[in-house]
C-alpha cells in the first residue's frame, strides 16, 4: 500500500506543471520578440530568409500550423507534446523516472513552460540525449545504433539552438577523460560522434551561408544593459542550481519575502550539498562515466555560454539560456544518488512537494487575486 501511494504522488509533477501552463495561458499569450521571430521564419518556409535563429523550431511550427492554421494553437500544442514526451520517455524506459519527474517540477521548468521558445523543444531532446549516453557508457561493447542516435540528437539540437554547439564541444574534454581512464573503446565511440556531428553541422552552417549570406545571422556587439545585468547573469548561474527559487522573491506564497542575500546563502548551501553528493559518488565509482559526462557537458556549456554572452549580444543568462547547464548538472546529481528505498522516495516526494507548492502557488499569486 505504501509503495502504491508513493508511486501515485509522483504524478503531481506533470499534473501541476500542466495546470500551471494552462492557468498562465488563460491570462495571456506567452510570445516574446524571439517567439514572433520564430513564427515569422515559419511563415516564410521553405524559403530560409534569415539564419539568426536555427530552423528546427520554425519547421515544427509550420508543420503543426498546417493542421490548425493558427500559430498560437500550434506553439501550445508543441509545448504540451514536448513536456509529454519528456515525462513519458523516462517513465516508459524506467530511466530514473522518479528523479527526473522531480527535476521537472523545479522552478526553471515552470518559468520556461508557457513561452513560445525553442528551449521547449530542447527539454525532450536533452532528456533523450542523457538517457542514450548513459546507455552508451554503461554498455560494455561498441553499439552503432546508439552512436547513430547520438549523432542524430546532436544535429537536431544544433538546428534547434546554436548554443548546442557548446554541447558538441564538451565531447572533446570528455574524450580526454576517457583516454586518461583507459576507456579507449568508449573514447573512439565519442570521437566518431564528434566528427560525424561536426561534419553535419558545418554542412548546415554552409547552407545558412548560401541561403542568407551568414552562418548564424547578423550578430551585434554585446550590450549588457549596465552592471546589474552582468551581476544578474552571473548570479543566475548559482540560482539555477536552486530547485525552488532563483533570486529575490517578494511575497512568496503570498507572505514570505526573500532578499538577495538570503537567495545567495540558500543557493550556495544547496550547491555545496549537491557537490558533496556528486563527489562522494565519484569516489565510490558509482555511475562514474555518466556522472563525469554530465559534469563536463554542464561546465563546458557554462564556460562557452559565458564567453558568448561577453562577446556577442544575447539576453541575460537566466533559466532559459542556461538550460543545458543545469540540466546536465542535475542529471549528474540524479546519477549520483544510490537507490535507498523507501527513504529515497520520501526525500524525492518532499522536494517535489515543496517545489510544486512554491511554483504553482507563486503562479496563482502572480496572476489571480484572492482578496
Amino acid at each position: 500500500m505504501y509503495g502504491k501511494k508513493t508511486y501515485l504522488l509522483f504524478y503531481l509533477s506533470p499534473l501541476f506543471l500542466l495546470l500551471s501552463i494552462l492557468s498562465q495561458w488563460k491570462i495571456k499569450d506567452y510570445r516574446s520578440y524571439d517567439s514572433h521571430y520564430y513564427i515569422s521564419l515559419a511563415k516564410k518556409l521553405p524559403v530560409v530568409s534569415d539564419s539568426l535563429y536555427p530552423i528546427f523550431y520554425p519547421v515544427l511550427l509550420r508543420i503543426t500550423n498546417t493542421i490548425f492554421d493558427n500559430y498560437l494553437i500550434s506553439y501550445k500544442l508543441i509545448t504540451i507534446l514536448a513536456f509529454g514526451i519528456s515525462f513519458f520517455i523516462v517513465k516508459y524506459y524506467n530511466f530514473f523516472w522518479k528523479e527526473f519527474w522531480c527535476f521537472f517540477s523545479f522552478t526553471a521548468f515552470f518559468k520556461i513552460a508557457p513561452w513560445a521558445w525553442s528551449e521547449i523543444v530542447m527539454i525532450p531532446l536533452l532528456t533523450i540525449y542523457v538517457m542514450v549516453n548513459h546507455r552508451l557508457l554503461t554498455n560494455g561493447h561498441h553499439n552503432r545504433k546508439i552512436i547513430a542516435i547520438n549523432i542524430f540528437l546532436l544535429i537536431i539540437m544544433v538546428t534547434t539552438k546554436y548554443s548546442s554547439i557548446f554541447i558538441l564541444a564538451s565531447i572533446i574534454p570528455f574524450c580526454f577523460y576517457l583516454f586518461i581512464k583507459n576507456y579507449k573503446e568508449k573514447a573512439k565511440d565519442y570521437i566518431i560522434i564528434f566528427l560525424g556531428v561536426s561534419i553535419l553541422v558545418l554542412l548546415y552552417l554552409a547552407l545558412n551561408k548560401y541561403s542568407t549570406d551568414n552562418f548564424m545571422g547578423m550578430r551585434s556587439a554585446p550590450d549588457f544593459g549596465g552592471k546589474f545585468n552582468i551581476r544578474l547573469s552571473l548570479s543566475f548561474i548559482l540560482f539555477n542550481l536552486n530547485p525552488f527559487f532563483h533570486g529575490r522573491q517578494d511575497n512568496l506564497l503570498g507572505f514570505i519575502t526573500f532578499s538577495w542575500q538570503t537567495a545567495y546563502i540558500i543557493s550556495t548551501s544547496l550547491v555545496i550539498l549537491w557537490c558533496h553528493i556528486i563527489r562522494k559518488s565519484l569516489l565510490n565509482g558509482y555511475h562514474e562515466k555518466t556522472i563525469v559526462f554530465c559534469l563536463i557537458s554542464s561546465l563546458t556549456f557554462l564556460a562557452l555560454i559565458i564567453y558568448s554572452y561577453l562577446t556577442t549580444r544575447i539576453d541575460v543568462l537566466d533559466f532559459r539560456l542556461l538550460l543545458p547547464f543545469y540540466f546536465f548538472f542535475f542529471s549528474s546529481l540524479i546519477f549520483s544518488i544510490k537507490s535507498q528505498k523507501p527513504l529515497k522516495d520520501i526525500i524525492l516526494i518532499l522536494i517535489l512537494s515543496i517545489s510544486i507548492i512554491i511554483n504553482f502557488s507563486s503562479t496563482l499569486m502572480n496572476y489571480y487575486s484572492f482578496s
Side-chain angles (χ1 to χ4, degrees):
M1 182 61 71
Y2 167 81
K4 187 176 182 180
K5 288 181 179 178
T6 305
Y7 178 90
L8 291 174
L9 286 172
F10 283 100
Y11 282 85
L12 294 174
S13 179
L15 174 62
F16 277 91
L17 182 60
L18 177 60
L19 290 174
S20 174
I21 295 171
L22 294 177
S23 64
Q24 291 178 85
W25 281 344
K26 187 177 179 180
I27 300 298
K28 67 175 184 177
D29 299 328
Y30 279 76
R31 289 180 289 182
S32 65
Y33 172 82
D34 288 359
S35 305
H36 289 289
Y37 209 105
Y38 284 125
I39 292 171
S40 174
L41 289 174
K43 289 178 178 178
K44 296 174 183 176
L45 289 173
V47 176
V48 180
S49 58
D50 193 338
S51 56
L52 184 64
Y53 294 90
I55 201 67
F56 189 65
Y57 186 59
V59 167
L60 290 180
L61 286 170
R62 182 61 181 267
I63 292 172
T64 310
N65 197 64
T66 58
I67 303 171
F68 298 102
D69 195 26
N70 186 318
Y71 281 100
L72 179 61
I73 297 175
S74 297
Y75 99 75
K76 291 179 178 180
L77 178 63
I78 291 171
T79 296
I80 298 298
L81 288 175
F83 277 104
I85 291 169
S86 302
F87 280 102
F88 172 78
I89 200 77
V90 291
K91 180 67 173 65
Y92 181 80
Y93 288 100
N94 196 25
F95 180 71
F96 300 87
W97 73 270
K98 295 176 182 178
E99 292 86 346
F100 275 99
W101 281 29
C102 180
F103 176 37
F104 294 147
S105 74
F106 290 179
T107 303
F109 296 100
F110 272 76
K111 287 185 175 291
I112 290 175
W115 290 94
W117 287 337
S118 59
E119 281 77 11
I120 298 297
V121 178
M122 286 295 294
I123 293 170
L125 290 173
L126 287 168
T127 303
I128 299 170
Y129 181 69
V130 168
M131 185 173 69
V132 166
N133 280 279
H134 175 71
R135 182 169 296 181
L136 178 59
L137 291 167
T138 52
N139 281 352
H141 58 278
H142 182 82
N143 192 316
R144 292 182 180 177
K145 182 179 178 181
I146 295 179
I147 290 173
I149 294 172
N150 246 309
I151 292 173
F152 175 77
L153 286 170
L154 280 167
I155 190 61
I156 292 297
M157 283 195 282
V158 171
T159 56
T160 304
K161 290 288 295 182
Y162 286 130
S163 60
S164 298
I165 293 174
F166 304 155
I167 300 173
L168 174 62
S170 69
I171 293 177
I172 299 173
F174 184 61
C175 284
F176 280 114
Y177 159 79
L178 292 173
F179 272 114
I180 291 171
K181 288 292 187 176
N182 206 29
Y183 301 125
K184 293 183 179 178
E185 289 302 314
K186 294 298 177 188
K188 291 177 182 177
D189 290 344
Y190 278 94
I191 289 172
I192 293 171
I193 292 169
F194 177 79
L195 292 176
V197 177
S198 296
I199 292 170
L200 292 173
V201 168
L202 289 173
L203 286 173
Y204 171 70
L205 295 180
L207 287 172
N208 275 352
K209 178 67 174 176
Y210 175 78
S211 302
T212 68
D213 292 327
N214 290 285
F215 291 109
M216 291 186 284
M218 290 291 292
R219 297 286 161 173
S220 304
D223 180 9
F224 304 119
K227 292 182 179 179
F228 176 77
N229 280 352
I230 298 177
R231 187 170 75 247
L232 186 63
S233 289
L234 297 176
S235 297
F236 260 104
I237 296 168
L238 180 65
F239 296 150
N240 271 280
L241 300 183
N242 182 336
F244 310 121
F245 68 98
H246 291 277
R248 183 175 63 83
Q249 298 281 321
D250 293 322
N251 298 319
L252 183 66
L253 303 181
F255 61 94
I256 304 173
T257 297
F258 286 105
S259 65
W260 282 110
Q261 290 79 3
T262 306
Y264 282 113
I265 291 170
I266 294 176
S267 299
T268 302
S269 300
L270 286 173
V271 170
I272 291 172
L273 175 61
W274 305 151
C275 290
H276 170 72
I277 294 171
I278 293 170
R279 177 178 176 274
K280 185 177 179 181
S281 183
L282 287 173
L283 290 175
N284 294 332
Y286 182 69
H287 287 153
E288 177 196 355
K289 292 193 290 293
T290 309
I291 293 171
V292 172
F293 170 80
C294 290
L295 283 177
I296 289 177
S297 298
S298 175
L299 296 176
T300 303
F301 182 90
L302 176 62
L304 292 175
I305 197 70
I306 291 174
Y307 173 79
S308 180
Y309 175 72
L310 295 174
T311 56
T312 190
R313 187 170 186 172
I314 59 176
D315 293 335
V316 170
L317 297 181
D318 58 6
F319 53 87
R320 178 190 176 192
L321 295 185
L322 291 172
L323 171 64
F325 159 64
Y326 60 80
F327 196 103
F328 285 120
F329 183 88
F330 278 113
S331 294
S332 70
L333 182 63
I334 286 171
F335 298 129
S336 298
I337 305 172
K338 291 186 178 180
S339 179
Q340 297 175 348
K341 297 180 179 179
L343 179 60
K344 181 181 178 181
D345 284 354
I346 292 173
I347 294 172
L348 287 174
I349 288 293
L350 180 62
I351 294 173
L352 186 150
S353 299
I354 294 172
S355 186
I356 285 174
I357 290 170
I358 291 174
N359 293 313
F360 188 69
S361 299
S362 297
T363 298
L364 294 181
M365 293 291 180
N366 284 335
Y367 296 109
Y368 296 92
S369 175
F370 296 95
S371 57

